[in-house]
């Protein structure tokens, strides 16, 4: 296992961490227009790093949204080509007062690095670059396989630009398989490959009543209240068991195979620990008859993320707001489609419209669910590499999260993805105090080096 590249990675761990910290200091929040310049700065940072380590054709590709970063090294004649994918954008950091140290001032505590984007996905995406650096620096500027790197800056807002690029320029990303490090280990120390993701549709419901905000004393009793109307609509979307009421919503849902279900039952999962230490609520909810793992990986769900509008300041204001909005998303599973689900949802919401208001249902972004085949050489190479570095057999899991482009790699590039991620279940993705366990950062780099060497050796 002691390849020269792994030696190099071990000797350079301190520098690899300092460089990651520099990347984490850039607040590349893709959804907030005021951070547009920061998103670009993160792209330039990565392009500079790719050039420095010896990758070729490094390019910051302009799009109608945030830029893509591309690089390649294609001189390993006869060897497979890897498409190394990641995203350099991050979610907003609020609520800020819940962070122990500021989100864009990376801070080391008890073996972790804390910062927004530490694990999702800057820290994980950067493992690819550091693995490439270690290989290039110890083999006279050569790699054991061909590599194309593509890093996007708007995964957290739906990934529209990369999807367009993949559809319009499949030849520029022509590869044999993709490597995606944007998922989690099932449990600490347990090497994991993710083989399925849920899809999603992210929507907004806007309800309008009066033409202008009204004094609630003068008009209350006669004027419609859009918040009450919106709450009535939302309350009708799910029953008390969490079963979604949209007609036809479950029609296409494909159950996991008996083999998959059997394998999931052997995973080390303690529901009470999950409830208490990961979720922290008085009880868990969801459809009766399905385990937590099935409910989060293989069943569709619906959630409300926020209801902007009206008065939300401290204290009291007596007003009937003219409009109310809700951000509502649904997670989809194989064989549901985003288009069909949105049409059914929109029709149902419109049918629920109370008197006195108008309702507008909008689609913000969408992505399809996917399950990838595991009977290919790249998955085998990955499990071998993981066994060497972690000393254990790999578990195959699905995840409830979504990475929209992975489905497009299958559909438009016709390549399998290896989803080899090293996050931990308590890394606080999208939440305050996001972290990346440093041992996983370093072992992740080692794993990727070994994986590239395995694929190149075959
Ligand atoms: N990396 C996550 C998805 C993820 C997390 C997959 C953990 C597996 C395990 C990704 O950055 C993400 O957050 N995706 C969004 C997608 C959306 C905004 C289109 C999600 O799942 O909410
Ligand atoms: Mn991610
Ligand atoms: Mn994310």
């Amino acid at each position: 296992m002691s390849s020269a590249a792994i030696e190099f990675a071990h000797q350079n761990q301190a520098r690899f961490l300092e460089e990651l910290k520099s990347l984490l200091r850039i607040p590349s929040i893709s959804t907030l227009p005021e951070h547009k310049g920061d998103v670009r700065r993160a792209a330039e940072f990565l392009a500079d790093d790719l050039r420095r380590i010896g990758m070729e054709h490094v390019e910051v590709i302009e799009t109608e949204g945030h830029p893509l970063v591309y690089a390649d090294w294609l001189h390993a004649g006869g060897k497979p080509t890897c498409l190394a994918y990641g995203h350099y954008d991050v979610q907003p950091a609020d609520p800020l007062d819940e962070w122990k140290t500021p989100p864009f001032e990376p801070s080391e505590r008890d073996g972790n690095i804390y910062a927004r984007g530490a694990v999702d996905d800057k820290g994980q995406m950067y493992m690819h670059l550091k693995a490439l650096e270690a290989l290039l620096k110890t083999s006279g500027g050569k790699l054991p396989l061909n590599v194309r790197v593509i890093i996007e800056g708007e995964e957290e807002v739906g990934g529209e630009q990369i999807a367009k690029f993949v559809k319009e320029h499949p030849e520029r990303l022509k590869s044999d398989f993709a490597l995606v490090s944007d998922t989690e280990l099932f449990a600490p120390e347990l090497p994991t490959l993710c083989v399925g993701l849920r899809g999603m549709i992210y929507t907004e419901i806007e309800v309008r009543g009066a033409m202008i905000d009204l004094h609630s004393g003068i008009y209350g009793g006669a004027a419609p209240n859009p918040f009450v109307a919106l709450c009535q609509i939302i309350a009708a979307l799910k029953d008390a068991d969490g079963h979604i009421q949209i007609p036809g919503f479950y029609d296409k849902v494909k159950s996991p195979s008996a083999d998959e279900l059997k394998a999931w039952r052997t995973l080390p999962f303690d529901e009470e620990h999950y409830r208490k230490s990961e979720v922290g609520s008085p009880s868990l909810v969801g459809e009766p008859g399905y385990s937590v793992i099935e409910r989060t990986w293989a069943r569709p769900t619906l959630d409300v993320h926020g209801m902007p509008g009206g008065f939300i300041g401290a204290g009291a204001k007596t007003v009937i707001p003219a409009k109310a909005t809700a951000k509502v998303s649904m997670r989809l599973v194989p064989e549901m489609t985003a288009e069909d689900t949105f049409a059914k949802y929109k029709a149902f919401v419109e049918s629920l419209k109370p008197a006195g208001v108008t309702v507008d249902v909008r689609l913000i972004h969408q992505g399809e669910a996917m399950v990838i085949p595991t009977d290919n050489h790249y998955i085998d190479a990955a499990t071998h590499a993981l066994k060497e570095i972690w000393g254990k057999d790999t578990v195959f899991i699905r995840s409830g999260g979504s990475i929209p482009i992975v489905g497009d790699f299958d559909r438009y590039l016709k390549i399998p993805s290896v989803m080899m991620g090293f996050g931990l279940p308590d890394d606080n993705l999208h939440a305050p105090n996001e972290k990346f366990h440093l041992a996983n950062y370093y072992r992740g780099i080692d794993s990727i080096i070994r994986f590239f060497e395995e694929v190149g050796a075959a």
Side-chain angles (χ1 to χ4, degrees), residues 191-317:
T192 303
L193 291 177
C194 178
V195 300
L197 295 167
R198 288 197 285 192
M200 85 172 325
I201 55 176
Y202 199 108
T203 78
E204 253 173 25
I205 307 176
E206 187 179 287
V207 177
R208 286 182 173 267
M211 61 187 170
I212 192 169
D213 287 7
L214 299 172
H215 187 294
S216 67
I218 301 173
Y219 296 99
N225 186 309
F227 266 103
V228 174
L230 184 53
C231 291
Q232 287 166 339
I233 293 172
I234 288 172
L237 293 176
K238 267 185 174 183
D239 71 10
D241 279 338
H243 210 74
I244 294 155
Q245 302 296 297
I246 300 166
F249 186 80
Y250 295 95
D251 283 0
K252 309 229 167 97
V253 169
K254 186 176 175 208
S255 304
S257 69
D259 281 353
E260 241 183 324
L261 287 170
K262 196 171 144 211
W264 294 352
R265 276 194 289 273
T266 68
L267 291 169
F269 183 75
D270 176 345
E271 183 166 326
E272 181 55 12
H273 178 265
Y274 173 88
R275 180 197 67 78
K276 226 173 137 181
S277 307
E278 271 189 61
V279 178
S281 60
S283 65
L284 296 174
V285 299
E287 294 175 278
Y290 297 94
S291 69
V292 167
I293 285 184
E294 284 172 84
R295 271 155 34 218
T296 55
W297 294 354
R299 295 290 296 169
T301 61
L302 180 150
D303 275 290
V304 180
H305 308 288
M307 295 177 64
F311 177 67
I312 54 160
K317 178 185 180 190

Side-chain angles (χ1 to χ4, degrees), residues 94-231:
D94 53 282
L96 288 177
D97 53 4
E98 301 268 327
W99 286 79
K100 292 207 181 88
T101 50
F104 297 106
E105 293 173 29
S107 155
E108 270 174 74
R109 289 197 299 282
D110 35 82
N112 299 301
I113 180 87
Y114 285 84
R116 169 56 85 236
V119 69
D120 186 12
D121 179 41
K122 284 174 171 170
Q124 297 218 68
M125 170 271 298
Y126 206 55
M127 295 183 307
H128 293 182
L129 272 63
K130 297 300 101 178
L132 292 171
E133 173 172 352
L135 287 161
L136 287 162
K137 295 289 176 206
T138 51
S139 318
K142 293 201 171 97
L143 292 175
L145 76 177
N146 302 294
V147 175
R148 296 181 196 270
V149 173
I150 186 80
I151 316 170
E152 68 164 314
E154 49 183 66
E155 192 274 344
E156 300 290 9
V157 291
E160 196 182 325
Q161 296 309 320
I162 191 173
K164 216 172 139 204
F165 188 80
V166 167
K167 271 177 233 166
E168 289 171 7
H169 307 286
E171 75 292 344
R172 290 202 54 187
L173 298 179
K174 190 175 164 21
S175 304
D176 296 295
F177 69 99
L179 174 65
V180 178
S181 299
D182 194 21
T183 54
E184 303 176 333
L185 301 183
F186 186 77
E189 311 283 315
L190 188 59
T192 303
L193 291 177
C194 178
V195 300
L197 295 167
R198 288 197 285 192
M200 85 172 325
I201 55 176
Y202 199 108
T203 78
E204 253 173 25
I205 307 176
E206 187 179 287
V207 177
R208 286 182 173 267
M211 61 187 170
I212 192 169
D213 287 7
L214 299 172
H215 187 294
S216 67
I218 301 173
Y219 296 99
N225 186 309
F227 266 103
V228 174
L230 184 53
C231 291

